[in-house]
Structure formats: C-alpha cells, structure tokens
Amino acid sequence: MEKLSFASLSPLASKRFARFFYFRFDRLRIVVCVFAAIACLLFLTSTSTPSIRRLALHQDSGSEPPFPKQVWQCYTTVGPRNTSITHRDAFKATKIAAGTAGSWFPVDGDWSYRFIGSEAGTRFVQKHFKKQPDVVEVYTSLRVPVMLSDFLRYLLLAGEGGVYADSDVEMIKPLQDWVPEEYRNATRAMIGLDVDHAVKDEDEGWAFRFAQHTLVAAKGHPIMMNMVRNVTNKMIALAEEKHTKMSEIELHDRDVVRITGPRGFREIVFDHLSKETGVTVGWRNLTGIKEPKLFGDTLIVPINFFGGGQAHSGSDGTSPDKRVQHYWKGTWRHWDESM
C-alpha cells in the first residue's frame, strides 16, 4: 500500500493541518504532536496494522544488520541564555521534520523508531549515565542548541546503539542493506565522509570531515563513548578556564566545532582508527576513497553513502551507494540563522 506523507496533501490541506498544530498546542509539544499524527495516519492506512514504533524497511533482504534495530531522531528546544524557542521557530522545524519523516515511519519489519525531545533526552541521559554524574551535569548545563543536539546523538548511540539521523535526513536505501554484505560480520560502527577537499584549510575542521547527521554504531562503541567523555572533559576544562558555571559559559562557533562538532568528532574517529590498526590514520588515508574501508570494527564509507548530492567533494546524488539524502535545513539553528 502506498505510504501516506505530507507530500501527498494539497498545499491548502497542508497549510490548514500545520496551522491547526501551531495554534492549538503548546510550543514545546509541537514536534511530538506532528510526529504522533503522522504515525496515527500511517497506522490507520496500513492493512497490516503494524505498531507505531515499527520502522519501514521497504523490502526484506533476509539479512541482519550488525547493530541494534533502533532508529533515533531528536529535537532539542533549549535556547541561548536558557530561553525557550519561539512558536515560529518550533513551527518551522516541525515542517522540516514532517517532510522527511515518512521515509522512517512504519510499513513492516521489526525496527523500532524513537523521536526524542528535550525532556525525554534528559531522562535518557540521567538513566543511562547515572554512574557518570559529570556527563549528566554537562548535558543538562548546555545552552547552545547545536551542541546539545550533537551531544545527545553521541549519548543515544553510546547508551543503546542503533542508527541516528537528523530530522532533515531522508532514508533512501533500506536499513538492512546499508552495510555491504562482505563487511557485515565485522562492522560495529559505520561512519561516512561528508566533506572531502582536505587540501584547503584542513586545520579548520571543515575541509575534511565525517558526517554527523547520520551515524551508525553498536551500543557502547568506543567512538561514541570516547566522544561523550571528550565533550564532557572539554566542557569542564572550559568552565574552569573561564572561572564560571557550566551553564553560564559564553561559547563561540570555534568552541562548537572543536568540542561537539566536526573537528572534535574527526579527532575521535581518527584516534579510534589508529588504535584499531596500530598505525596513525588521518585524512590522507581516506581522502578520495571510492569503496568502503574497514578499520578493525569501524567501516568508513565514501562520500556518496551519507553525503550524496552535494556540490563539492566529488559527490554524486544519483549514485547507487546513496543511503540517505541530507537536506541541510539546520533545524538546530532555530534560534540563530546567522550562526
């Protein structure tokens, strides 16, 4: 049966549907309500009546993935100076998420889907990292949405594992086919290239970086665990350096890049690959790769797997390798479009 999505509605119907949620529900519940509505519609239109927590696999290849059958998406609502997002910002982010949600929602299969909001994210961290109170303190003290979103994705995969995707990421290829068959038994993490022109401003962390919008890892994988620890340690050190409380630290773009963002993540990935192989691994070992490369338990995949369709890095939007389409809507920038 054809899946129901927002794209199938007329412009007038879509507008009326969106306005209904915008004016009738509390701003911090907008995202949850929209996703619930989509799930209910899909449930009612399916002849097989699957659970609303089941995830569409599109087809059954008869193979098992090497990581938990769990998909995570999240949306954090804290703003700068501990303010909440506005109705307008939440509504905008909701529309973006609704546009790609249909690719992850249920038809059949036994994958689970969880959408995590701010309160649920805090509960998750408190439950899974209660023995690491410094991690909980850093997470609950962050006041920059992009850093909170970055940190939460690492925490989700470290705590339970599975597939993480930003709310503006569309699934293109069935999840059970993401890892090439020859690598499935050995793969516990799958990391994709996202930008690959390392000869320009390599030290800034932008010219060569790994995708953070789509991540795959087994529960407790060292990359995610080390990223959690690295973010925690850097934030504690920064607070001590500035002689201020964690929640009152003034953070800049460069802090985002090096702590939770692409530069910080790249350092942790390279460190893990080097430990797995016993030799130093850097961007020169990966730039321009056309086929996946396995480093111990971590599969590094070419630009087209997670970064297809971009206007750089030799990216090809029509490649059969393409697993997802990232639309670069920047929902985490809801409070500062100029960041």
Side-chain angles (χ1 to χ4, degrees):
M1 175 174 290
E2 182 180 357
K3 293 188 295 183
L4 182 63
S5 69
F6 276 93
S8 66
L9 299 175
S10 68
L12 180 58
S14 298
K15 185 175 182 180
R16 288 176 176 173
F17 186 72
R19 284 182 174 176
F20 174 78
F21 282 100
Y22 178 66
F23 290 109
R24 293 292 298 274
F25 290 90
D26 181 82
R27 63 180 181 273
L28 298 182
R29 301 181 184 276
I30 291 175
V31 177
V32 175
C33 292
V34 169
F35 274 91
I38 297 170
C40 289
L41 287 171
L42 287 164
F43 179 88
L44 293 172
T45 55
S46 171
T47 57
S48 58
T49 61
S51 166
I52 63 172
R53 284 175 54 82
R54 297 300 187 185
L55 180 70
L57 293 186
H58 301 293
Q59 60 183 10
D60 184 7
S61 66
S63 59
E64 294 293 320
F67 37 84
K69 293 183 175 182
Q70 173 71 61
V71 170
W72 303 92
Q73 291 189 300
C74 67
Y75 183 71
T76 52
T77 56
V78 67
R81 297 176 297 280
N82 200 21
T83 60
S84 297
I85 60 173
T86 65
H87 283 284
R88 179 180 179 182
D89 292 332
F91 186 49
K92 176 181 176 182
T94 300
K95 289 172 65 179
I96 292 170
T100 58
S103 68
W104 302 100
F105 271 113
V107 173
D108 55 20
D110 55 356
W111 283 72
S112 294
Y113 172 92
R114 288 193 66 187
F115 180 83
I116 300 292
S118 294
E119 293 182 4
T122 299
R123 290 195 299 269
F124 179 96
V125 176
Q126 291 171 336
K127 173 183 176 182
H128 288 78
F129 295 89
K130 59 184 177 182
K131 294 183 178 179
Q132 300 180 59
D134 55 344
V135 173
V136 178
E137 179 187 3
V138 169
Y139 179 79
T140 55
S141 298
L142 281 173
R143 292 293 176 263
V144 179
V146 60
M147 296 187 76
L148 196 65
S149 176
D150 284 345
F151 199 18
L152 182 55
R153 69 194 66 189
Y154 308 136
L155 289 159
L156 291 171
L157 295 184
E160 291 195 13
V163 175
Y164 169 83
D166 277 355
S167 58
D168 59 351
V169 171
E170 179 184 8
M171 181 173 65
I172 302 298
K173 200 162 190 174
L175 283 162
Q176 74 271 24
D177 295 333
W178 277 24
V179 178
E181 187 172 0
E182 62 268 32
Y183 300 111
R184 286 178 188 169
N185 291 335
T187 299
R188 294 187 66 245
M190 183 178 181
I191 307 294
L193 272 59
D194 201 31
V195 176
D196 184 13
H197 37 245
V199 295
K200 301 175 182 178
D201 290 329
E202 191 270 338
D203 287 337
E204 291 302 316
W206 295 104
F208 182 94
R209 69 175 186 257
F210 298 105
Q212 294 170 269
H213 57 75
T214 306
L215 297 167
V216 180
K219 176 181 178 179
H221 190 275
I223 288 178
M224 301 305 158
M225 295 298 291
N226 291 338
M227 196 64 198
V228 168
R229 178 46 49 191
N230 195 47
V231 171
T232 301
N233 290 345
K234 285 183 176 180
M235 286 300 299
I236 291 174
L238 193 60
E240 293 176 349
E241 176 187 324
K242 294 180 178 290
H243 305 288
T244 187
K245 295 179 181 179
M246 195 90 60
S247 60
E248 298 177 357
I249 298 176
E250 184 178 349
L251 295 163
H252 303 282
D253 287 357
R254 61 180 178 274
D255 297 314
V256 176
V257 172
R258 74 177 184 86
I259 297 176
T260 64
R263 187 169 184 176
F265 185 58
R266 185 182 62 176
E267 291 173 357
I268 293 299
V269 173
F270 282 156
D271 182 64
H272 178 72
L273 301 184
S274 299
K275 289 178 179 178
E276 287 288 291
T277 59
V279 298
T280 301
V281 176
W283 65 268
R284 291 180 177 84
N285 303 97
L286 297 171
T287 185
I289 62 172
K290 302 300 182 185
E291 299 291 335
K293 295 184 70 173
L294 186 66
F295 295 80
D297 67 352
T298 302
L299 189 66
I300 304 298
V301 294
I303 189 79
N304 288 327
F305 277 62
F306 294 161
Q310 301 182 91
H312 57 75
S313 308
S315 173
D316 179 5
T318 63
S319 171
D321 290 336
K322 189 175 180 180
R323 269 56 176 171
V324 299
Q325 177 63 57
H326 184 208
Y327 290 103
W328 294 97
K329 298 297 185 180
T331 53
W332 44 263
R333 291 179 177 173
H334 47 67
W335 57 272
D336 187 356
E337 292 293 344
S338 65
M339 179 176 170

